[in-house]
Amino acid sequence: MKEKELRIRYSVADHPDQLNEKDRKLFLMATQAVSTAYAPYSKFKVGAAVLLADGKVVKGSNQENMAYPSGLCAERVALFSASAGFPGVQVVSIAVAADPLAPDATVTPCGACRQVMMEYEKLYEHPIRIITGAVKGPITVVENAGALLPLSFFDAGLQKEELD
């Protein structure tokens, strides 16, 4: 058996002013989207803003439902809206902002959202820059979804062997 090691590179900003201009604008759009969240059960409001290659920005927010699996995270609302509204236009980056119950909480996308980001990276053959954090807290920046989802699920596992 061989032992291997994973290393993940990321940056952390204490305030949006520490981000570059493009990331700061996108993160502030995500913080605005927090106000449209419907989160009466968890009280965990999340907003997302997706920057497309043509410069358009698509926002989304989490939408809960009493039957928890029926709701949808802000990241997937924004990504699916972007894909449906602007098919074929590459996703360049996504910013995610949350208003968590603890102001110093680390905020990152859930596993399902990370897998969706991986799918769009594969579709467009281009990494998606991810800016994520609390409205009033630390902001983490990674250069691709693989940094958030190492050893992710790939389509090679879905291919069937041809039987002779």
Side-chain angles (χ1 to χ4, degrees):
M1 178 178 348
K2 293 181 184 179
E3 186 173 307
K4 297 187 177 193
E5 182 177 325
L6 290 171
R7 290 180 183 229
I8 299 169
R9 183 178 301 262
Y10 61 96
S11 302
V12 178
D14 294 322
H15 191 274
D17 289 343
Q18 294 176 331
L19 299 171
N20 69 45
E21 184 178 353
K22 191 181 277 189
D23 289 352
R24 182 173 24 76
K25 285 182 179 179
L26 196 63
F27 186 76
L28 293 176
M29 289 178 168
T31 63
Q32 292 169 354
V34 169
S35 67
T36 66
Y38 178 70
Y41 308 105
S42 72
K43 310 290 190 240
F44 189 78
K45 296 182 176 187
V46 183
V50 172
L51 175 63
L52 300 176
D54 64 3
K56 290 183 177 71
V57 174
V58 178
K59 293 191 229 177
S61 59
N62 60 319
Q63 303 297 310
E64 291 183 351
N65 188 282
M66 190 177 291
Y68 267 101
S70 299
L72 200 57
C73 300
E75 299 92 313
R76 285 180 282 158
V77 169
L79 286 164
F80 294 159
S81 293
S83 183
F86 306 97
V89 181
Q90 174 188 320
V91 175
V92 173
S93 56
I94 182 170
V96 182
D99 191 6
L101 302 177
D104 60 344
T106 300
V107 175
T108 60
C110 74
C113 290
R114 293 174 190 206
Q115 186 64 47
V116 168
M117 290 176 198
M118 292 293 295
E119 185 78 15
Y120 283 110
E121 284 187 354
K122 180 180 176 255
L123 174 65
Y124 295 115
E125 298 177 344
H126 191 274
I128 298 172
R129 185 173 173 86
I130 303 163
I131 305 107
T132 182
V135 171
K136 295 180 182 174
I139 302 163
T140 303
V141 180
V142 297
E143 296 303 319
N144 58 62
L148 293 179
L149 191 62
L151 304 175
S152 63
F153 187 75
F154 287 102
D155 62 349
L158 297 176
Q159 295 175 1
K160 294 181 182 180
E161 289 185 34
E162 294 291 325
L163 298 177
D164 292 331

PDB file of all heavy atoms in Angstrom, residues 11 20-21 23 26-27 29 38 62-63 71 88 90 94 135 142 154 160:
ATOM      1  N   SER A  11      -6.604  31.117   0.452  1.00  0.00           N
ATOM      2  CA  SER A  11      -6.312  32.421   1.043  1.00  0.00           C
ATOM      3  C   SER A  11      -7.456  32.791   1.963  1.00  0.00           C
ATOM      4  O   SER A  11      -8.602  32.392   1.731  1.00  0.00           O
ATOM      5  CB  SER A  11      -6.185  33.487  -0.052  1.00  0.00           C
ATOM      6  OG  SER A  11      -5.179  33.137  -0.969  1.00  0.00           O
ATOM      7  N   ASN A  20      -9.347  41.259  -4.041  1.00  0.00           N
ATOM      8  CA  ASN A  20      -9.160  42.078  -5.242  1.00  0.00           C
ATOM      9  C   ASN A  20     -10.527  42.634  -5.655  1.00  0.00           C
ATOM     10  O   ASN A  20     -11.571  42.171  -5.185  1.00  0.00           O
ATOM     11  CB  ASN A  20      -8.479  41.280  -6.365  1.00  0.00           C
ATOM     12  CG  ASN A  20      -9.347  40.189  -6.949  1.00  0.00           C
ATOM     13  OD1 ASN A  20     -10.530  40.375  -7.229  1.00  0.00           O
ATOM     14  ND2 ASN A  20      -8.761  39.012  -7.146  1.00  0.00           N
ATOM     15  N   GLU A  21     -10.533  43.617  -6.507  1.00  0.00           N
ATOM     16  CA  GLU A  21     -11.775  44.341  -6.829  1.00  0.00           C
ATOM     17  C   GLU A  21     -12.879  43.431  -7.370  1.00  0.00           C
ATOM     18  O   GLU A  21     -14.029  43.516  -6.947  1.00  0.00           O
ATOM     19  CB  GLU A  21     -11.487  45.459  -7.837  1.00  0.00           C
ATOM     20  CG  GLU A  21     -12.710  46.306  -8.136  1.00  0.00           C
ATOM     21  CD  GLU A  21     -12.417  47.440  -9.106  1.00  0.00           C
ATOM     22  OE1 GLU A  21     -11.242  47.654  -9.456  1.00  0.00           O
ATOM     23  OE2 GLU A  21     -13.380  48.111  -9.510  1.00  0.00           O
ATOM     24  N   ASP A  23     -13.298  40.122  -6.983  1.00  0.00           N
ATOM     25  CA  ASP A  23     -13.790  39.230  -5.929  1.00  0.00           C
ATOM     26  C   ASP A  23     -14.628  39.993  -4.910  1.00  0.00           C
ATOM     27  O   ASP A  23     -15.649  39.497  -4.444  1.00  0.00           O
ATOM     28  CB  ASP A  23     -12.631  38.539  -5.210  1.00  0.00           C
ATOM     29  CG  ASP A  23     -11.939  37.493  -6.056  1.00  0.00           C
ATOM     30  OD1 ASP A  23     -12.434  37.167  -7.156  1.00  0.00           O
ATOM     31  OD2 ASP A  23     -10.873  36.994  -5.618  1.00  0.00           O
ATOM     32  N   LEU A  26     -18.093  40.733  -6.317  1.00  0.00           N
ATOM     33  CA  LEU A  26     -18.908  39.522  -6.375  1.00  0.00           C
ATOM     34  C   LEU A  26     -19.343  39.097  -4.977  1.00  0.00           C
ATOM     35  O   LEU A  26     -20.503  38.729  -4.762  1.00  0.00           O
ATOM     36  CB  LEU A  26     -18.129  38.398  -7.070  1.00  0.00           C
ATOM     37  CG  LEU A  26     -18.963  37.213  -7.538  1.00  0.00           C
ATOM     38  CD1 LEU A  26     -19.975  37.637  -8.608  1.00  0.00           C
ATOM     39  CD2 LEU A  26     -18.055  36.116  -8.092  1.00  0.00           C
ATOM     40  N   PHE A  27     -18.432  39.186  -4.002  1.00  0.00           N
ATOM     41  CA  PHE A  27     -18.782  38.824  -2.627  1.00  0.00           C
ATOM     42  C   PHE A  27     -19.859  39.764  -2.080  1.00  0.00           C
ATOM     43  O   PHE A  27     -20.791  39.309  -1.408  1.00  0.00           O
ATOM     44  CB  PHE A  27     -17.543  38.834  -1.716  1.00  0.00           C
ATOM     45  CG  PHE A  27     -17.838  38.338  -0.329  1.00  0.00           C
ATOM     46  CD1 PHE A  27     -18.000  36.983  -0.076  1.00  0.00           C
ATOM     47  CD2 PHE A  27     -17.982  39.224   0.722  1.00  0.00           C
ATOM     48  CE1 PHE A  27     -18.292  36.513   1.193  1.00  0.00           C
ATOM     49  CE2 PHE A  27     -18.274  38.771   2.004  1.00  0.00           C
ATOM     50  CZ  PHE A  27     -18.425  37.421   2.241  1.00  0.00           C
ATOM     51  N   MET A  29     -22.141  41.261  -3.814  1.00  0.00           N
ATOM     52  CA  MET A  29     -23.402  40.858  -4.458  1.00  0.00           C
ATOM     53  C   MET A  29     -23.987  39.637  -3.754  1.00  0.00           C
ATOM     54  O   MET A  29     -25.203  39.533  -3.586  1.00  0.00           O
ATOM     55  CB  MET A  29     -23.187  40.569  -5.938  1.00  0.00           C
ATOM     56  CG  MET A  29     -22.928  41.786  -6.766  1.00  0.00           C
ATOM     57  SD  MET A  29     -22.648  41.281  -8.474  1.00  0.00           S
ATOM     58  CE  MET A  29     -22.722  42.848  -9.296  1.00  0.00           C
ATOM     59  N   TYR A  38     -34.837  32.321   2.076  1.00  0.00           N
ATOM     60  CA  TYR A  38     -36.009  31.850   2.814  1.00  0.00           C
ATOM     61  C   TYR A  38     -35.511  30.735   3.719  1.00  0.00           C
ATOM     62  O   TYR A  38     -35.306  29.600   3.282  1.00  0.00           O
ATOM     63  CB  TYR A  38     -37.085  31.350   1.841  1.00  0.00           C
ATOM     64  CG  TYR A  38     -38.304  30.797   2.546  1.00  0.00           C
ATOM     65  CD1 TYR A  38     -39.168  31.654   3.241  1.00  0.00           C
ATOM     66  CD2 TYR A  38     -38.591  29.438   2.520  1.00  0.00           C
ATOM     67  CE1 TYR A  38     -40.289  31.134   3.893  1.00  0.00           C
ATOM     68  CE2 TYR A  38     -39.712  28.926   3.168  1.00  0.00           C
ATOM     69  CZ  TYR A  38     -40.545  29.783   3.849  1.00  0.00           C
ATOM     70  OH  TYR A  38     -41.655  29.281   4.503  1.00  0.00           O
ATOM     71  N   ASN A  62     -30.534  30.612  -0.505  1.00  0.00           N
ATOM     72  CA  ASN A  62     -31.086  29.329  -0.082  1.00  0.00           C
ATOM     73  C   ASN A  62     -32.600  29.437   0.103  1.00  0.00           C
ATOM     74  O   ASN A  62     -33.127  30.471   0.508  1.00  0.00           O
ATOM     75  CB  ASN A  62     -30.386  28.791   1.166  1.00  0.00           C
ATOM     76  CG  ASN A  62     -30.476  29.665   2.388  1.00  0.00           C
ATOM     77  OD1 ASN A  62     -30.361  30.885   2.311  1.00  0.00           O
ATOM     78  ND2 ASN A  62     -30.649  29.049   3.544  1.00  0.00           N
ATOM     79  N   GLN A  63     -33.273  28.356  -0.230  1.00  0.00           N
ATOM     80  CA  GLN A  63     -34.728  28.278  -0.159  1.00  0.00           C
ATOM     81  C   GLN A  63     -35.091  27.003   0.583  1.00  0.00           C
ATOM     82  O   GLN A  63     -34.935  25.905   0.049  1.00  0.00           O
ATOM     83  CB  GLN A  63     -35.332  28.282  -1.570  1.00  0.00           C
ATOM     84  CG  GLN A  63     -34.955  29.493  -2.412  1.00  0.00           C
ATOM     85  CD  GLN A  63     -35.463  30.794  -1.838  1.00  0.00           C
ATOM     86  OE1 GLN A  63     -36.650  30.922  -1.504  1.00  0.00           O
ATOM     87  NE2 GLN A  63     -34.588  31.782  -1.686  1.00  0.00           N
ATOM     88  N   GLY A  71     -35.652  21.621  -0.005  1.00  0.00           N
ATOM     89  CA  GLY A  71     -35.069  22.950  -0.181  1.00  0.00           C
ATOM     90  C   GLY A  71     -33.849  22.884  -1.078  1.00  0.00           C
ATOM     91  O   GLY A  71     -33.462  21.826  -1.577  1.00  0.00           O
ATOM     92  N   GLY A  88     -24.342  27.341 -21.992  1.00  0.00           N
ATOM     93  CA  GLY A  88     -23.101  27.393 -22.748  1.00  0.00           C
ATOM     94  C   GLY A  88     -22.142  28.487 -22.327  1.00  0.00           C
ATOM     95  O   GLY A  88     -21.040  28.565 -22.852  1.00  0.00           O
ATOM     96  N   GLN A  90     -19.615  29.943 -19.769  1.00  0.00           N
ATOM     97  CA  GLN A  90     -18.748  29.410 -18.713  1.00  0.00           C
ATOM     98  C   GLN A  90     -18.902  30.157 -17.395  1.00  0.00           C
ATOM     99  O   GLN A  90     -19.023  31.373 -17.363  1.00  0.00           O
ATOM    100  CB  GLN A  90     -17.310  29.521 -19.185  1.00  0.00           C
ATOM    101  CG  GLN A  90     -16.272  29.158 -18.178  1.00  0.00           C
ATOM    102  CD  GLN A  90     -14.882  29.499 -18.685  1.00  0.00           C
ATOM    103  OE1 GLN A  90     -14.570  29.307 -19.844  1.00  0.00           O
ATOM    104  NE2 GLN A  90     -14.057  30.002 -17.797  1.00  0.00           N
ATOM    105  N   ILE A  94     -17.641  32.016  -8.274  1.00  0.00           N
ATOM    106  CA  ILE A  94     -18.847  32.077  -7.457  1.00  0.00           C
ATOM    107  C   ILE A  94     -18.454  32.610  -6.088  1.00  0.00           C
ATOM    108  O   ILE A  94     -17.423  32.230  -5.537  1.00  0.00           O
ATOM    109  CB  ILE A  94     -19.550  30.704  -7.337  1.00  0.00           C
ATOM    110  CG1 ILE A  94     -20.843  30.825  -6.512  1.00  0.00           C
ATOM    111  CG2 ILE A  94     -18.627  29.649  -6.781  1.00  0.00           C
ATOM    112  CD1 ILE A  94     -21.724  29.571  -6.539  1.00  0.00           C
ATOM    113  N   VAL A 135     -20.969  37.056   6.291  1.00  0.00           N
ATOM    114  CA  VAL A 135     -21.202  38.462   5.970  1.00  0.00           C
ATOM    115  C   VAL A 135     -20.262  39.356   6.775  1.00  0.00           C
ATOM    116  O   VAL A 135     -19.694  40.307   6.256  1.00  0.00           O
ATOM    117  CB  VAL A 135     -22.681  38.828   6.222  1.00  0.00           C
ATOM    118  CG1 VAL A 135     -22.902  40.318   6.108  1.00  0.00           C
ATOM    119  CG2 VAL A 135     -23.584  38.074   5.261  1.00  0.00           C
ATOM    120  N   VAL A 142     -10.524  29.995  -2.836  1.00  0.00           N
ATOM    121  CA  VAL A 142      -9.820  28.873  -3.453  1.00  0.00           C
ATOM    122  C   VAL A 142      -9.924  29.003  -4.966  1.00  0.00           C
ATOM    123  O   VAL A 142     -10.857  29.627  -5.482  1.00  0.00           O
ATOM    124  CB  VAL A 142     -10.356  27.498  -2.984  1.00  0.00           C
ATOM    125  CG1 VAL A 142     -10.148  27.313  -1.494  1.00  0.00           C
ATOM    126  CG2 VAL A 142     -11.813  27.315  -3.344  1.00  0.00           C
ATOM    127  N   PHE A 154     -16.070  11.224  -9.903  1.00  0.00           N
ATOM    128  CA  PHE A 154     -15.868  11.493 -11.326  1.00  0.00           C
ATOM    129  C   PHE A 154     -16.655  10.502 -12.158  1.00  0.00           C
ATOM    130  O   PHE A 154     -16.983   9.413 -11.706  1.00  0.00           O
ATOM    131  CB  PHE A 154     -14.377  11.394 -11.682  1.00  0.00           C
ATOM    132  CG  PHE A 154     -13.567  12.538 -11.173  1.00  0.00           C
ATOM    133  CD1 PHE A 154     -12.780  12.397 -10.039  1.00  0.00           C
ATOM    134  CD2 PHE A 154     -13.594  13.766 -11.811  1.00  0.00           C
ATOM    135  CE1 PHE A 154     -12.025  13.445  -9.555  1.00  0.00           C
ATOM    136  CE2 PHE A 154     -12.849  14.824 -11.334  1.00  0.00           C
ATOM    137  CZ  PHE A 154     -12.062  14.665 -10.208  1.00  0.00           C
ATOM    138  N   LYS A 160     -19.593   1.734 -17.862  1.00  0.00           N
ATOM    139  CA  LYS A 160     -19.782   0.293 -17.805  1.00  0.00           C
ATOM    140  C   LYS A 160     -18.843  -0.383 -18.795  1.00  0.00           C
ATOM    141  O   LYS A 160     -18.550   0.154 -19.856  1.00  0.00           O
ATOM    142  CB  LYS A 160     -21.227  -0.061 -18.172  1.00  0.00           C
ATOM    143  CG  LYS A 160     -22.236   0.453 -17.170  1.00  0.00           C
ATOM    144  CD  LYS A 160     -23.623   0.047 -17.573  1.00  0.00           C
ATOM    145  CE  LYS A 160     -24.639   0.600 -16.593  1.00  0.00           C
ATOM    146  NZ  LYS A 160     -25.999   0.217 -16.968  1.00  0.00           N
TER     147      LYS A 160
END
